[in-house]
Amino acid sequence: MENNLRKRLFYFPKWIFLLVYLLWFPLFAQSPFTLRSIDLQSYPQVKVRLHVNGVLDGSGFTVSEQVNETVRLTDTFHWDKQISKNPIYLTISIPSYSNAEDRRWLLNLASQLVKFSEQSGGHSKLHIQSDDSFHVFDRIRSQVLDVSFPFPKENPSQFPIRNWERLVDSLPKDHSTEDHILLLVSFSKEWPDRFEIPEFAKRIRDKNLKLIVLSPNSLEANKLVSYAKGDFYSIAKQESFESLFNDLKERMSPDWILVYDSPWKLSLWKENEISVTLSSPTSGNPFEFSYEISPFQTFYRTLSDPLVFFPVSLFLILLCLAALYYLRGFERTSNREVAALPLEPMSSVETFERKDELAVYDRMYGETLEKAAREREIALLTKEKESLPGTSYTYAVIQVREGSQLYEPIPLQWDEMTIGNFESNHIVLHDPSVSGLHAKIKNRKGKYILFDCVSEAGVYLNGRKLLRPKVLHHLDEIQIGKTILTFRGRY
């Protein structure tokens, strides 16, 4: 008697839980629809592109629009199925292998996933997890994923989240309505960098990527999937792979276009926000979405229409050409009018005086210019004959020292040798603090003169900043950035 009573008490809560679950499950069931885009080009006709999970039965649906607090039902709507498949763009991250069996299994998995993406019209990217290197194969094809594929062998990744963060950072943000899926494969149950999961999930959402995790069942994997609103498949169960490929096949199926006439027929040049509800007694919860109408969007849609854009562009181009032609012709006409103005006749006396005055000015200015040229030549010759202070050397070299490293001496064999960070210099210094053209050394009759080429960091000669060109002497030390250059001369 007591045993029967205990059994009844033991099973009673389970029946209550099952009853509550059956009653409340329809209220929380996910909608089979995913919104792709809304086309308002032919408003009041609205075209809504939807992705449907499963088989769509177009009967029994009702479409209603709500503006403010008023709801109206549309009378006419129909479903059109697209011909082309929905493209899937996969970014697959797989761990490296430890033996030949793991290598075959990973290549087979990646090949099947890439083949699904190719069949849908998309493309794939393959990432090999590594703590030391970043291996990514962009737009990889399924044909190359065979035994000859150059699969890099890396040590097991100790920080998978950081690996995946580098991968996500390298991906552009998805602004399209297609499926861009990040598929992460892991053999590890524990992730040492699990404290970075919330930030990593935020990056996935910011990139507008759909997450799929294929790994052992663990708290870290479930937490990442929960934060990023993704899907989890256990790598230890065979049925998980069947579910994964079935879900990818569902995503690949063609989208549906819901076409209906808006019951409001609002003006496109006024701002309004319309909430739409698509409901059916067999689809569970109603699917809700909204769209906006504004003058800016209407102007943009009108201008982006090819039937409007090209004629308007052609008209503006012709208008600019006509304006340029008119201004050009107006300028010519003005010059002709000025040239056609009547000139007062000059007397013979004024003409003679004018010619005499021009001759005097030509002779005077010509003599002045010739005199200035002769004086400049004399000054240059005098400057060349002046003797510079310092010692003349028949042979000189520069000894370069960077820290404790000493390089081979560089002979100063040209009349002018440049020093800087550019590869075109005679002496190249790989120092970020050195300017492209930092300094130069000129050979003037055996005397070597150091110049600062207006550098940012400056040039130091024997510990003092070079303010003007100076003649170098034997064993002078030149400091440019962190490099020491020693001048050595031989008589």
Side-chain angles (χ1 to χ4, degrees), residues 319-371:
L319 184 63
C320 292
L321 292 176
L324 291 174
Y325 182 79
Y326 172 75
L327 293 175
R328 181 170 173 267
F330 178 78
E331 184 179 359
R332 283 188 173 182
T333 305
S334 300
N335 292 336
R336 289 171 183 172
E337 290 177 357
V338 173
L341 290 175
L343 299 176
E344 296 181 1
M346 297 178 64
S347 63
S348 59
V349 177
E350 290 178 349
T351 304
F352 176 77
E353 291 180 353
R354 180 66 176 168
K355 289 181 179 180
D356 188 33
E357 183 180 355
L358 289 175
V360 171
Y361 272 88
D362 288 340
R363 185 171 63 255
M364 184 183 68
Y365 286 130
E367 290 178 356
T368 304
L369 292 175
E370 291 176 0
K371 183 179 179 181

Side-chain angles (χ1 to χ4, degrees), residues 47-326:
K47 297 180 180 180
V48 185
R49 181 184 169 191
L50 298 169
H51 184 73
V52 182
N53 296 326
V55 180
L56 176 65
D57 184 8
S59 60
F61 282 95
T62 58
V63 181
S64 60
E65 288 190 347
Q66 179 178 353
V67 178
N68 296 329
E69 300 297 331
T70 308
V71 179
R72 291 183 181 180
L73 290 172
T74 181
D75 297 331
T76 58
F77 67 91
H78 63 275
W79 296 90
D80 293 335
K81 190 172 184 179
Q82 286 191 323
I83 301 175
S84 60
K85 296 180 180 179
N86 182 41
I88 297 176
Y89 302 94
L90 281 176
T91 301
I92 309 166
S93 175
I94 61 175
S96 185
Y97 62 94
S98 57
N99 51 54
E101 185 178 355
D102 286 349
R103 187 178 188 276
R104 282 195 303 271
W105 187 88
L106 288 169
L107 287 176
N108 186 30
L109 174 64
S111 176
Q112 294 183 26
L113 292 171
V114 173
K115 190 176 295 184
F116 260 90
S117 177
E118 292 173 350
Q119 292 174 355
S120 67
H123 54 78
S124 302
K125 179 182 292 188
L126 183 64
H127 168 248
I128 311 298
Q129 300 164 20
S130 171
D131 292 335
D132 303 323
S133 305
F134 187 64
H135 303 287
V136 173
F137 300 89
D138 199 6
R139 290 185 176 270
I140 193 166
R141 307 294 296 177
S142 59
Q143 293 85 352
V144 303
L145 293 171
D146 53 12
V147 292
S148 62
F149 178 71
F151 197 158
K153 187 175 182 180
E154 300 285 344
N155 295 325
S157 177
Q158 301 296 324
F159 304 101
I161 299 295
R162 296 176 187 175
N163 266 271
W164 295 331
E165 282 180 347
R166 291 176 60 189
L167 174 62
V168 171
D169 291 342
S170 67
L171 299 176
K173 185 175 181 180
D174 176 32
H175 296 282
S176 66
T177 59
E178 312 298 344
D179 285 329
H180 288 255
I181 301 174
L182 175 64
L183 198 150
L184 308 178
V185 182
S186 176
F187 291 150
S188 177
K189 290 186 177 181
E190 295 183 359
W191 300 338
D193 50 351
R194 53 185 172 272
F195 57 90
E196 299 180 10
I197 287 179
E199 179 64 25
F200 177 53
K202 182 178 180 297
R203 294 187 183 185
I204 295 175
R205 295 195 302 268
D206 292 342
K207 294 283 187 174
N208 197 21
L209 301 173
K210 296 176 176 60
L211 176 65
I212 294 178
V213 177
L214 183 62
S215 71
N217 195 357
S218 63
L219 179 61
E220 289 83 356
N222 286 284
K223 187 183 294 186
L224 175 60
V225 169
S226 176
Y227 288 168
K229 298 180 181 179
D231 297 323
F232 172 77
Y233 299 91
S234 176
I235 201 172
K237 297 179 180 180
Q238 181 63 30
E239 55 269 19
S240 297
F241 295 93
E242 297 177 1
S243 301
L244 171 62
F245 288 110
N246 287 334
D247 291 346
L248 291 177
K249 190 175 181 180
E250 284 291 336
R251 292 178 183 270
M252 190 173 58
S253 60
D255 294 337
W256 288 83
I257 306 295
L258 172 64
V259 183
Y260 70 92
D261 293 332
S262 174
W264 290 96
K265 296 179 175 60
L266 301 170
S267 172
L268 294 175
W269 301 100
K270 294 182 180 179
E271 291 191 3
N272 287 288
E273 184 175 357
I274 300 95
S275 300
V276 185
T277 302
L278 176 65
S279 58
S280 172
T282 60
S283 63
N285 290 343
F287 180 68
E288 298 179 353
F289 59 93
S290 62
Y291 64 90
E292 294 182 357
I293 295 176
S294 65
F296 175 77
Q297 292 180 355
T298 303
F299 177 76
Y300 177 77
R301 284 195 298 268
T302 304
L303 193 61
S304 60
D305 187 0
L307 297 177
V308 177
F309 176 76
F310 289 108
V312 170
S313 301
L314 182 61
F315 172 75
L316 292 176
I317 292 173
L318 294 176
L319 184 63
C320 292
L321 292 176
L324 291 174
Y325 182 79
Y326 172 75

Side-chain angles (χ1 to χ4, degrees), residues 383-416:
K383 189 175 181 181
E384 288 292 333
K385 292 180 180 179
E386 291 179 356
S387 61
L388 293 172
T391 308
S392 297
Y393 299 98
T394 58
Y395 181 74
V397 296
I398 286 291
Q399 184 78 49
V400 181
R401 186 175 78 250
E402 292 183 353
S404 61
Q405 188 172 3
L406 193 65
Y407 295 94
E408 291 291 330
I410 302 174
L412 300 175
Q413 55 185 349
W414 307 104
D415 292 339
E416 179 178 319

Side-chain angles (χ1 to χ4, degrees), residues 449-464:
I449 310 169
L450 177 64
F451 293 83
D452 183 359
C453 298
V454 198
S455 60
E456 295 183 1
V459 179
Y460 291 85
L461 178 62
N462 297 325
R464 294 185 178 181

